[in-house]
Amino acid sequence: MFHRHLAQSPGGMDSQVGQLAYGRTTDTPYVADRRFPRNGNPEAVRKHLSAMQAEGDMFAAVDDAESDWLSA
């Protein structure tokens, strides 16, 4: 599952991938996005980020995480 891969990323909550795992799509500390697609695939995460108007760095983090996930 892609969400599990995000949650196990190095750097924990300090990394953008870690923030994605916990549904944080804003810069506000410790505010989780309850609509984050925890059971979704990378494309569902991108779609959600797009709807939330997330910054480009978050999309790059999804791309990197997806590459790692597919190679695992």
Side-chain angles (χ1 to χ4, degrees), residues 1-25:
M1 179 184 298
F2 186 61
H3 179 265
R4 185 173 310 186
H5 174 75
L6 292 175
Q8 295 172 349
S9 69
M13 285 297 293
D14 293 333
S15 71
Q16 286 183 318
V17 173
Q19 290 178 13
L20 285 173
Y22 293 97
R24 286 182 55 202
T25 55

Side-chain angles (χ1 to χ4, degrees), residues 4 6-7 10 14 16-17 19 23-24 27-28 31 35-36 38 41-44 49 56 62-63 67-68:
R4 185 173 310 186
L6 292 175
D14 293 333
Q16 286 183 318
V17 173
Q19 290 178 13
R24 286 182 55 202
D27 291 331
T28 307
V31 175
R35 294 172 292 174
F36 186 83
R38 294 187 184 273
N41 60 18
E43 200 54 43
L49 292 176
V62 172
D63 294 344
S67 293
D68 291 342

